[in-house]
Amino acid sequence: MHRHRLLVLLAVWLIVVVLPVTAQPSTSISTIYLPLVATNTIRPFGFETNTGWLYNSDVKTQAANLNAHWVRLNTLSWREAQPTATSPINWNATSFQQFEQEVLAANQLGLQVMAVIDDHPSWATGSNHICAAILDEYHDEFAAFVRAVVAKYSQYPYLVRYWELGNEPDVDPRLVGENFPFGCWGVIEDEYYGGERYGRMLMRVTPHIRAADPGAKVVFGGLLLARPENRPTNTDGKPFNFLEGALRAGAGPYFDILAFHTYPTFFERIGMNSAHIDFDKDAQTFGGVWLSRGGATLGKIMFLREVMQRYGINKPLFLNETGLRCDDRYTSISGSCAAASSVFEQAKANHLIRSSMRAIAAGVESYIWYTLQGPGWSQTALLDATQQPRPAFTAMKVAIERLNEVRIPPQSFTGYGSGIEAYRFSGNGFVLDVIWSVDHTTRQISLPASAVIAAYSRDGNPITPTISGGIATFNVGFENIYLKRQP
């Protein structure tokens, strides 16, 4: 990051010194902010904000404090911008004005924008759902619209580079309400669940994106990916075949990044502290459908890579929408999410660290939490209703601070013995181990005291080990610790 800032300063110096200077009338000076792009590193953490929230003063202040890298924005509405097939694009449409304010705020914050394009007009879908599949005969119109959007917003002062086409397209819109902003492309009756027609859309639209901006990155609409296969009780088609359908259609070369989502649900369990349940790997999560593959996060990663491998491609993976939900139906002890909030918020912070470290170690390049602003859908947000930090916000902030010192991805590390899960990141002359106990049992790890540089709790508080005979011993519980040490 320091190298990047030096390059920016050098560029500004060259503009000032090299370009000819002529007398100009006095004028006010405006500060222009450009998105920071890290060099020689991957900065995975980010968040989504719902429309209009990123430039809210309270939320923007917290975003600056968090210092994440990504923001996902699902704001642009094709329906609003072109209400009829013959309408010119209305650049003054409300969603476009909001999007522009969001992007400028993101640039001020040094955030890389990932912009979703959806909300298709009914004249292009033949449906009243705001998220429905675009009919093949209107792919050219969609391509022209997207090309114009990319051409405009890839330019200064916006400089958007990541464009996601749709949100959770592997859902049949008949399964959700008309105004739900996800679904679009799924077809229960189709063997490939509508994936082929989504693939045909990519093949038509992506060349226009790349023509408008050769540096653009096309993101496959983040997959809900409810399950890897059907069980006898499943009667809603084969949504797990959606990606394969797109690849069968020939869409492999027409996207740059494959995105997916996962949302475990918090539940209370009698006889234990529910903050110490690993919801990413628990048998109750999603009915256990991902358990044999390593849990919700690793299971989906493995599944997607298996499908890509069958078609000879290997795209970067983004987990670009995730969180831990709370649903009153599963708070059998407390009776409601409100009553369970203190335990739930701790569980959410623990889940954020566990799932993010597993994803990053597996090569996922972006980990985006839904949402930053609070209270959020199903209480998933990093901030509360007054836009003050919840424990998960602090957990992400500390993780960002610690990981900014090291190289990514880490390696799984087994040197601390059984019952311990750990990931090792390499720094310059040191390593950073992220460590936790796999269950509620507090365990001890030991290493030479001379190897210890620093240690921190999940929330960033310094930890002092017990030292005896030149050996440092740390207690490791369900909450992770960070151990900066000599290799």
Side-chain angles (χ1 to χ4, degrees), residues 15-24:
I15 291 171
V16 172
V17 173
V18 176
L19 293 183
V21 178
T22 58
Q24 297 290 336

Side-chain angles (χ1 to χ4, degrees), residues 2 47 52 147 169 219-220 253 260 267 272 280 301 355 382 409-410 475 483 485:
H2 292 300
F47 56 83
R147 181 169 184 157
V219 182
F220 195 108
F260 69 102
F267 54 83
M272 70 177 299
D280 190 39
I301 293 168
S355 61
L382 298 174
N475 290 327
L483 177 56
R485 56 169 291 182

Side-chain angles (χ1 to χ4, degrees), residues 27-77:
T27 178
S28 62
I29 298 175
S30 298
T31 302
I32 302 298
Y33 297 91
L34 305 181
L36 292 177
V37 181
T39 57
N40 299 325
T41 190
I42 297 169
R43 297 181 60 204
F45 284 104
F47 56 83
E48 183 166 340
T49 51
N50 295 139
T51 300
W53 278 101
L54 188 58
Y55 50 86
N56 171 279
S57 59
D58 293 334
V59 174
K60 188 176 178 183
T61 296
Q62 297 293 2
N65 185 33
L66 184 60
N67 194 31
H69 181 63
W70 295 95
V71 62
R72 184 173 184 252
L73 301 174
N74 192 351
T75 298
L76 291 171
S77 169

Side-chain angles (χ1 to χ4, degrees), residues 1 38-45 357 360 398-411 423-434 453 482-485:
M1 184 59 70
T39 57
N40 299 325
T41 190
I42 297 169
R43 297 181 60 204
F45 284 104
M357 294 302 153
I360 296 166
V398 173
I400 290 168
E401 291 170 352
R402 299 274 67 85
L403 267 58
N404 278 347
E405 299 180 323
V406 297
R407 291 182 287 277
I408 294 174
Q411 300 294 318
Y423 296 92
R424 172 162 288 185
F425 296 82
S426 296
N428 292 326
F430 68 91
V431 296
L432 178 71
D433 294 338
V434 186
I453 300 173
Y482 298 94
L483 177 56
K484 185 176 181 180
R485 56 169 291 182

